[in-house]
Amino acid sequence: MTISAQAKALADRIRSASRAAALSGAGMSVESGLPTFRSGSRALWRNHDPMTLATPDAFARDPVLVWEWYRERLRAHGSAQPNPGHLALAELERRIATFTLITQNVDGLHLRAGSRDVIELHGDVRTSRCIRCGERVETPLAGEVPPRCACGGLLRPNVVWFGEALPAGAYERAYEAVAQSHVFIVAGTSAIVFPAAGLVEVARAAGAFVVEVNPDETPATSRCDVSVRAPSGEFLPLVVQHL
Ligand code: OAD
């Protein structure tokens, strides 16, 4: 089947679905110029050890190093623009009665593309919180590193690090949305980080039509009804065109 025929088939499914959901990962933002964690030569976890940058221990050991890295990423996010894949998912939300977008991305590009019902499973870097009093603030883009809260405590990026729990209620809301969906799109994720990856099973158990959009095979591939081997920025706009 051609990519266009796969897009038409998915559009047909979507037309008769009143509830749908999507799970996105770093691959969604590749066409915005951002690197993924595990694929390609610019992959973040190929070039940096996550244990030195994305754990509570790493932050306790060297908050300056951790902050410099997040500031760099925040700057990259700021200069990136939503790509046609992000825009297509925002359009799907307007066309489907209930459409929930669950993202593992912390770059905010789905929101900037116009998606509104978004669950940011791994938090976001636009905000930070104080490790002493819990106060949340917009992440300061410049100034002292590590930045401090008005109470004097250290601020940390409001993201989920290895070994940490997801934001309160986020997984439960995602589970609920997926369990009620007729169509579930899994785009741009290696599907190896849990509990996000487990949502594929939730969708299957609920009888949803599960479509993966990824140029490469993943552990989720065999659990999906269809795997589309194309970039999300190419395939998702085609689906919208066929609606
Ligand atoms: P990964 O880097 O693990 O996977 C990115 C996936 O995107 C790969 O399977 C690529 O094949 C695919 N990909 C590349 N280009 C694409 C394109 N143009 N269109 C569609 N897919 C494309 O990123 P995630 O799955 O998001 O967690 O990683 C999951 C979590 O692992 C992240 O949220 C982060 C990381 O550790 C935390 O920081 C908690």
Side-chain angles (χ1 to χ4, degrees), residues 17 39 49 51 90 100 108 123 150 182 194 206 217 223 227 239 242:
S39 65
D49 175 0
M51 294 305 131
T100 304
H182 306 122
F194 282 78
E217 190 172 332
R223 315 296 295 152
S227 277
V239 176
H242 283 291

Side-chain angles (χ1 to χ4, degrees), residues 147-172:
R148 286 186 181 271
C149 174
C151 81
L154 283 186
L155 289 173
R156 60 159 284 178
N158 197 25
V159 297
V160 176
W161 283 329
F162 285 96
E164 291 188 317
L166 300 187
Y171 184 75
E172 291 72 10

Side-chain angles (χ1 to χ4, degrees), residues 24-31 35-40 43-45 50 54 70 73 83 103-106 122 159-162 166 187-193 196 212-218 230-234:
S24 75
M28 264 309 300
S29 298
V30 162
E31 289 146 293
T36 68
F37 291 93
R38 300 176 180 84
S39 65
L44 295 171
W45 294 159
Y70 275 98
R73 285 183 64 202
N83 68 54
T103 187
Q104 298 164 88
N105 298 346
V106 297
H122 293 167
V159 297
V160 176
W161 283 329
F162 285 96
L166 300 187
T189 177
S190 57
I192 60 172
V193 173
E212 177 180 60
V213 186
N214 195 316
D216 295 320
E217 190 172 332
T218 75
S232 45
E234 204 177 292

Side-chain angles (χ1 to χ4, degrees), residues 97-134:
T98 304
F99 181 79
T100 304
L101 176 50
I102 302 144
T103 187
Q104 298 164 88
N105 298 346
V106 297
D107 57 29
L109 287 174
H110 285 303
L111 290 165
R112 283 172 56 199
S115 287
R116 287 293 161 256
D117 188 0
V118 181
I119 301 174
E120 294 183 308
L121 268 191
H122 293 167
D124 77 90
V125 269
R126 304 177 304 282
T127 58
S128 297
R129 63 176 192 268
C130 176
I131 61 169
R132 188 193 287 169
C133 73

